[in-house]
């Protein structure tokens, strides 16, 4: 199927081909829910979040409006009425944010708890797939949303709902955390050797530490590529 | 749609005169240059002539030209060849433990990565800083020279920003250093290598003027064939072959000689050197015009590298607040081809090491755009690009949340790059 698509970018060093689906192109050239002008007053929106990845060079900002109403059984429900964004990044980062905002706000908007369950894979699926190296970009969209949601929970006093991305130290000598390993996997590392090249983690360490790193690599590989 | 190709630093279209010169050597004159019979002699003759042509053009002897598969192989052969021949133990004897290599932080990966690998193998490698203008200070090389230095490898012109390095000046410094150590067993060292792939179309390649012992040139940047290049190796310089088997190329690079490619390479270099003066005269004003208009039509544009001491065909600028890959795709749809130093087009997802080496932050590297002109580029082409570019930039800036400062030296929004309670490292800096 991939072969039928145009080759849009070819890596100058490796010759690796990157394919963008027509949906990705459509959202890149005509992004949905883009925020044109920054709000003059922060209170125009109910929440705001910003996230980025220094390695990939993407940065995303989101603004959210929530509509409080009653759900099916009359229970209080908070739906995402508007999700506006700005993205500094490559074509797939722009397309992924655009698609994410569509998925969250279509059909009257998802309840915020449901919106938080939208996974990067779901965005990629709706985009008709992304090249492996570009998975980074769709992951960022859901991270930006998590931060925006956290901002909302903080402002509305729902502190128990704030999801903290805790970083757990794996290699204390170098202060390398599970998040560092997650980043390395997202950047394409597939095994201990690849991760060590990037992070020097667990070099000359105990077998237990190496096993733990390997388990994390499998976990994140499964999470993003499985 | 008409395509406007502005990526000549990546590769050039083949000159039809080169294609014609190569033509007989595919199907008609197919012989192996190693054969003693008629077909072999024809091939050998073409090979010898090509070698002589190239040698004459660069002021060398024919037996100092080693044909290879291209720039990457020539660079690898020079760096690994010198290092592996001597080993990690310094030629100065047991007193000094490690052989030493000097290069720069913004070399092409074909030099950089072999140097990094040698470092892992126990060699001592100095990766020199380059100035903000993208030019190496020869004084820094002088200061880094040591009795155990075996190799200095500095590119002639940078492949991304086109800045021209003072090779002849560095060559003099190295020669003086050797002379002052004439009584030591290391008096022949260090060898001096330069990667001249980008320079070959525009600069003087005379190895004696430059004072180099090793020089890389390839075909694909000078309107010649891809898959062929040469390494100039001054007589007496000893390197360890990296490809062994048949003993071709004076036992330095084995493999049946690709006669057609070699003939094409010689023809391409001949034309490139003959036409370089007129190309410089034609392209320099075009380059200056493009830079001037770029700055005039688009706010927040920073030229990367020295404005004058650069190749006449190279324009590299960071267009702030937008990301390179997005602009490449946007303009590709308008028929314009150019390249970017953005991480999104690199294997490692790391942005251009060249722009970072100039001391600029990540976002400048992600926003760096390289336009490299060629023999076919006209002022009309540039005007078309200058017509499309501002709109594309305006649009992508509307999409982008960034608003960088022109003179920024560090990351703009570190807080964006960290999660809740998450620490983020960018190069040597750490953000919370």
């Amino acid at each position: 199927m991939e072969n039928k698509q145009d080759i849009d970018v070819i890596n100058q060093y490796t010759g690796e081909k990157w394919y963008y689906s027509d949906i990705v192109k459509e959202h890149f050239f005509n992004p949905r829910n883009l925020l044109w002008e920054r709000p003059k007053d922060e209170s125009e929106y109910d929440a705001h979040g910003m996230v980025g990845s220094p390695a990939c060079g993407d940065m995303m900002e989101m603004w959210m409006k929530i509509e409080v109403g009653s759900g099916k059984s009359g229970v209080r429900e908070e739906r995402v009425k508007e999700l506006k964004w700005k993205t500094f990044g490559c074509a797939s980062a722009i397309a992924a944010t655009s698609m994410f905002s569509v998925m969250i706000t279509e059909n009257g908007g998802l309840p915020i708890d449901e919106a938080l369950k939208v996974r990067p894979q779901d965005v990629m699926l709706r985009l008709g797939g992304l090249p492996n190296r570009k998975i980074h970009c769709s992951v960022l969209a859901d991270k930006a949303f998590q931060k925006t949601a956290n901002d909302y929970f903080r402002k509305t006093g729902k502190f128990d709902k704030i999801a903290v991305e805790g970083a757990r130290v794996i290699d204390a000598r170098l202060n390398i955390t599970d998040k560092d390993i997650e980043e390395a996997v997202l950047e394409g590392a597939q095994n201990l050797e690849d991760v060590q090249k990037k992070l020097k983690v667990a070099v000359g360490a105990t077998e237990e530490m190496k096993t733990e790193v390997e388990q994390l690599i499998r976990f994140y590989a499964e999470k993003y590529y499985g | 749609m008409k395509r406007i190709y502005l990526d000549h630093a990546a590769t050039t279209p083949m000159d039809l005169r080169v294609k014609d010169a190569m033509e007989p050597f595919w199907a008609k004159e197919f012989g192996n240059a190693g054969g003693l019979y008629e077909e072999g002699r024809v091939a050998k003759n073409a090979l010898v002539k090509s070698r002589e042509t190239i040698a004459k053009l660069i002021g060398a002897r024919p037996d100092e030209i080693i044909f290879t598969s291209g720039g990457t192989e020539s660079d690898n052969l020079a760096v690994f060849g010198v290092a592996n021949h001597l080993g990690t133990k310094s030629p100065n004897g047991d007193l000094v433990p490690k052989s030493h290599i000097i290069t720069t932080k913004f070399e092409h990966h074909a030099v950089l990565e072999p140097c990094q690998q040698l470092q892992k193998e126990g060699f001592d490698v100095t990766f020199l800083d380059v100035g903000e203008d993208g030019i190496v200070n020869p004084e820094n090389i002088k200061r880094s020279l040591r009795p155990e230095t075996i190799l200095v490898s500095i590119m002639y012109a940078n492949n991304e920003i086109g800045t021209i390095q003072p090779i002849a000046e560095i060559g003099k410094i190295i020669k003086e250093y050797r002379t002052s150590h004439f009584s030591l067993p290391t008096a022949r060292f260090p060898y001096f290598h330069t990667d001249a792939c980008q320079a070959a179309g525009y600069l003087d390649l005379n190895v004696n003027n430059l004072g180099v012992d090793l020089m890389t040139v390839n075909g694909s940047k000078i309107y010649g064939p891809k898959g062929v290049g040469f390494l100039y190796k001054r007589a007496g310089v000893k390197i360890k072959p990296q490809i062994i088997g048949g003993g071709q190329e004076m036992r330095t690079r084995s493999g049946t000689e690709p006669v057609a490619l070699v003939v094409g390479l010689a023809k391409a270099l001949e034309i490139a050197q003959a036409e370089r003066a007129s190309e410089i005269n034609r392209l320099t004003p075009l380059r200056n015009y493009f830079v001037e208009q770029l700055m005039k039509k688009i706010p927040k544009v920073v030229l990367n590298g020295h404005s004058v001491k650069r190749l006449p065909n190279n324009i590299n600028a960071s267009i702030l607040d937008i990301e390179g890959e997005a602009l490449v795709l946007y303009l590709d749809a308008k028929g314009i081809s150019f390249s970017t130093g953005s991480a999104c087009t690199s294997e490692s997802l790391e942005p251009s090491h060249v722009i970072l080496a100039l001391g600029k932050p990540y976002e400048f590297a992600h926003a760096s755009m390289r336009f490299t002109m060629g023999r076919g580029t006209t002022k009309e082409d540039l005007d078309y690009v200058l017509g499309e570019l501002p709109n594309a930039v305006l649009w992508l800036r509307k999409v982008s949340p960034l608003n960088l400062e022109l003179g920024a030296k560090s990351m703009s929004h570190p807080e964006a790059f960290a999660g809740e309670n998450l620490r983020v490292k960018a190069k040597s800096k750490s953000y919370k």
Side-chain angles (χ1 to χ4, degrees), chain A residues 188-221:
Chain A
Q190 288 172 351
N191 50 42
L192 183 63
E193 202 187 323
D194 293 349
V195 172
Q196 283 180 333
K197 260 187 225 158
K198 286 179 186 289
L199 298 172
K200 310 269 177 291
V201 66
V203 174
T206 58
E207 281 308 308
E208 288 91 83
M209 194 189 286
K210 280 185 190 164
T211 311
E212 189 174 9
V213 172
E214 278 173 336
Q215 273 170 352
L216 278 168
I217 296 166
R218 271 198 295 277
F219 172 77
Y220 289 121

Side-chain angles (χ1 to χ4, degrees), chain A:
Chain A
M1 192 191 102
E2 266 191 343
N3 290 331
K4 287 182 187 160
Q5 295 168 352
D6 289 340
I7 300 161
D8 279 317
V9 176
I10 297 176
N11 184 303
Q12 59 176 324
Y13 297 114
T14 62
E16 184 196 6
K17 291 160 191 161
W18 289 340
Y19 302 91
Y20 283 134
S21 70
D22 289 342
I23 311 170
V24 172
K25 277 184 228 166
E26 167 59 22
H27 277 261
F28 169 60
F29 286 108
N30 300 298
R32 323 290 202 272
N33 299 315
L34 180 71
L35 186 91
W36 287 97
E37 295 296 332
R38 263 168 201 285
K40 285 192 188 76
D41 183 357
E42 278 301 323
S43 64
E44 256 183 65
Y45 289 86
D46 297 318
H48 170 238
M50 181 162 69
V51 78
S53 153
C56 200
D58 298 307
M59 197 177 111
M60 286 171 196
E61 236 179 313
M62 282 183 182
W63 291 263
M64 177 169 72
K65 276 185 189 168
I66 293 284
E67 189 175 55
V68 182
S70 49
K72 281 173 212 155
S73 49
V75 187
R76 184 187 142 91
E77 202 174 58
E78 296 162 309
R79 285 182 181 271
V80 183
K81 195 178 153 214
E82 259 186 54
L83 188 67
K84 299 281 186 188
W85 56 271
K86 275 184 178 290
T87 290
F88 164 77
C90 55
S92 48
I94 289 168
T97 333
S98 172
M99 180 55 89
F100 186 87
S101 70
V102 168
M103 290 168 74
I104 300 297
T105 54
E106 65 193 351
N107 307 323
L110 286 176
I112 193 161
D113 295 330
E114 292 297 312
L116 282 166
K117 287 181 193 153
V118 173
R119 300 173 309 158
Q121 292 97 311
D122 305 328
V123 180
M124 275 189 280
L125 215 61
R126 280 282 294 267
L127 284 172
L130 279 178
N132 258 354
R133 306 210 152 269
K134 297 290 185 166
I135 292 173
H136 229 114
C137 315
S138 66
V139 173
L140 275 180
D142 88 301
K143 283 187 173 168
F145 184 70
Q146 176 72 64
K147 269 190 140 181
T148 311
N150 281 352
D151 185 45
Y152 178 71
F153 294 143
R154 204 175 286 118
K155 281 176 176 161
T156 52
K158 299 185 186 71
F159 296 108
D160 56 317
K161 287 201 164 185
I162 295 174
V164 175
E165 270 199 273
R168 189 165 55 92
V169 174
I170 303 296
D171 190 334
R173 301 166 303 172
L174 296 161
N175 204 18
I176 283 168
T177 67
D178 51 352
K179 292 291 145 200
D180 295 316
I181 292 163
E182 181 180 6
E183 278 286 309
V185 171
L186 278 169
E187 285 168 23
Q190 288 172 351
N191 50 42
L192 183 63
E193 202 187 323
D194 293 349
V195 172
Q196 283 180 333
K197 260 187 225 158
K198 286 179 186 289
L199 298 172
K200 310 269 177 291
V201 66
V203 174
T206 58
E207 281 308 308
E208 288 91 83
M209 194 189 286
K210 280 185 190 164
T211 311
E212 189 174 9
V213 172
E214 278 173 336
Q215 273 170 352
L216 278 168
I217 296 166
R218 271 198 295 277
F219 172 77
Y220 289 121
E222 189 73 19
K223 183 175 170 190
Y224 295 117
Y225 303 97

